[in-house]
Each structure stands twice: as C-alpha cells, then as structure tokens.
Amino acid sequence: MAIPLKYNIRNLQARFVTTLVTALSISLTVAIFITLMALANGLRMAFVSTGHPRNLIVLRQNAGTETNSTITPEAFQVLKYLPGVARNEKGEPLASAETIVLINLPRVNTTERSNVLIRGLSFSGLALHPQVKLVEGRWFEPGSREIVVSRQISRRFQKTQMGDTLRFGKGDWKVVGIFEAAGTAYDSEIWCDGNQVRDDYNRHLYSSVYLQVEDSTLLEPLSKRIHDDQRLQLDAKGELQYYAEQTGAGKIIQVYGMFISIVMAIGSGFAAMNAMYGAVVNRFREIGILRVLGFSKMSILLSFALESLILALIGGVIGCLLALPINGISTGTTNFQTFSEIAFTFRVTPELLLWGMIFSGLIGLWSGLFPAVRAARKPILEALRAVV
C-alpha cells in the first residue's frame, strides 16, 4: 500500500521556510547549469547554422581555416569554370574569391581589444551568402574604402557604428552599412571590397574561394576533383561542414559548464539532503504510526524519495525561470581556429529547459536516497518510543 502523495505535499507546506531555502539552493544550481549550457549552445549554433547547403569552400591544402590559406588568381579562374558550378541569370559562374584580414579593435566602454575579421569580396560574391541581409545604409562601392559592419560587431567595438571612420590598411575606411546574418558566424565580421583590401595590404592572393554547385549531390564529386587536381594543390569541403568543424570552443565551454554545474549540484544536493535528514528526525513519530497502520518499509522509502524529488523539481522550475531572461543576450569570445572575435547570443531552448528539470530531478533523487533509506529502516518500536 502506497502512502498518499498529499502526505508529502502537506509536509513540504508545514516546513515552508526549510522547503523554500532548499528549493532556492537547487534553483541557483539549475540556473547556472542552464546559463552555461545556453552559452555553449549559442556558440555552437553560430557555427552550425552558418553556410549554404550547396556552397563549397576551397582552401589551400592542409590550411584548415581561411586565415591560413592562400589561393592564386590563376587557380580561381580554373575553379569557377569547373563542370557543376552553378551560374546566375547572366550565365556567370557563382564563384567568389575572398580575402581575410584580421585587425585589432578596442571594445566599447573598455580598454580591452580583440581581433576582428575583415572579409574582402566582390559585389557578385554577396549572392553566395544569402543569410547576410543589409539592415541599414547601403553596400560598399567597388574600388572604394567603404565597409559594411555586422550589427553584433557594431555594438561591441568602437568606431564601427554607422557613419564612423575606421583606420586600417593604408587609410581610413567609412562605415556605410550595417548587416545581420541570422546568428551565424558572419555576424562577427566586417565586409568590404576585395580588390581594395588586397591593395591596402599588398596582397595578390586570395584566402578562399566559394563555389555554389548546381545540386548538393555534386558537393562530394567536385571536392574530390579539386583535391585530386595536382595543378591546384587545394582542398574543398561543404561550407556547412567547414563551420561545423570550428565548434571546438563551444565544446570547451560545455565541458567547463558541466564541471561547474556538477560541483554546485553536490553542494545543493547536500543542502537538500540535510533538509530531508531533518525531516526524518522530526518525523520519527509519524514513521512509527505509518508502520503500525500497515505501510511497508518500501512505501516509506518511496514516499521520502518522492518528497525529495518534489522539492528538487520546485527548485528546477524556479531555476528555469531565473535563466530564461538571458535568452537572446549577445556576447562574444575568441575563435581559437582563427584567433578572431566570434559574437553570438545565449540560446535557452525548450530542450535545454527540459535538461535543467532532469538535472534538478537527479539532484533530488541523489540527496533524498539516504534519508529515505534511514526512514525506511527505522524499527517500529524505536519509532513508537518517540510518541511517548
């Protein structure tokens, strides 16, 4: 015979202050767990969601990233006329040769500085990055020192707001537009005319080439053809795959977040365990009466474990509510693949909230197990002496 659930609920209500303090302790642990996981989730999504499913990115063999790669103009001419490369309505190949430059900029309202990635490309190359949308001003004019800045970078760095002038290369560059890139890695970049930025940095080589294929089934064959061409000495991979491989920083944050959360869970678990031990000591008389009424040891064990679980789940709900406001807040860190700033937003998803509740439930079961066993093992005679 099972002990009614309302018995546990009434006991939690009777010990309101203890219940509240313990639930708050667990809620802080859950809130921090969700916050750290939302941080890692946002960073991972910034990379995973970047790219077009029919785009290939071509780099020098073993370069790894655009910042380490060089491609000659002659190789670009070969690449863009390969069979399988899609063409626009004018019959021109959908290919973009792009140049990457890192500049060091001061952050807003602080003396700290960080590297920001400048992407030089042709005006026709914009068609290969449909996730990027101009939201203010206009695009750069070819052959001019004009830049278009992502909204995230504009908010985080000095002299990157609309109308500002930024100095790098051989002179001043004017901010003529602001773009947004739907939370992708492009949200951490500044874009400008490729020819102009190469001229400023005396470069004659490109960093990467983007190709859009006619059909996604052509990605693999075309990548192999580029790799096998001994004249080129280049590697190619899908754009989605390229950015997905840069999620190393997100995994580090995820592991760090799990470690911090587990340490805090142990602390809040002991708090919940202490509360449940206190409940057992104060309820010896009730335990004795329950045994006399015919409730088994297993029923008493399950009842106290369930009470601890309810207590933890209350803390879990509060923790989820505490973590919700961070959703959408923008932040940034260093991308150790390119050593540049990567801006992203905290992402609190329904799945993450569910994991927060599961995490709180595990805390409740772990902290309630030992007090529940002690309550169940209480001899009837010893428990009944507490009545006297």
Side-chain angles (χ1 to χ4, degrees), residues 98-109:
E98 306 188 357
T99 300
I100 301 298
V101 173
L102 291 180
I103 61 172
N104 193 258
L105 293 180
R107 296 182 188 275
V108 174
N109 300 325

Side-chain angles (χ1 to χ4, degrees), residues 1 42 46 63 65 78 101 112 119 134 142 162 171 185 189 207 210 244 273 287 290 299 321 342 386-388:
M1 183 169 55
T65 65
V78 173
V101 173
E112 294 181 0
R119 181 179 296 275
L134 187 71
M162 188 70 183
E189 299 183 358
S207 301
Y210 285 75
M273 189 183 295
I287 293 169
L290 288 171
S299 296
L321 293 175
I342 176 74
V387 180
V388 182

Side-chain angles (χ1 to χ4, degrees), residues 72-83 85 209 211 222 225-226 229 231-232 234:
T72 64
E74 294 77 17
F76 175 56
Q77 292 303 315
V78 173
L79 290 169
K80 71 180 184 179
Y81 291 112
L82 287 173
V85 175
V209 170
L211 303 172
L222 194 54
R225 174 166 183 169
I226 292 170
D229 193 326
R231 298 172 300 164
L232 300 174
L234 300 172

Side-chain angles (χ1 to χ4, degrees), residues 11 26 91 116 119 127 143 234 246 269 294 304 321 323 347 355 358:
N11 275 308
I26 295 173
V116 175
R119 181 179 296 275
L234 300 172
Q246 295 190 29
F304 275 81
L321 293 175
R347 289 179 183 253
W355 276 111
I358 292 173

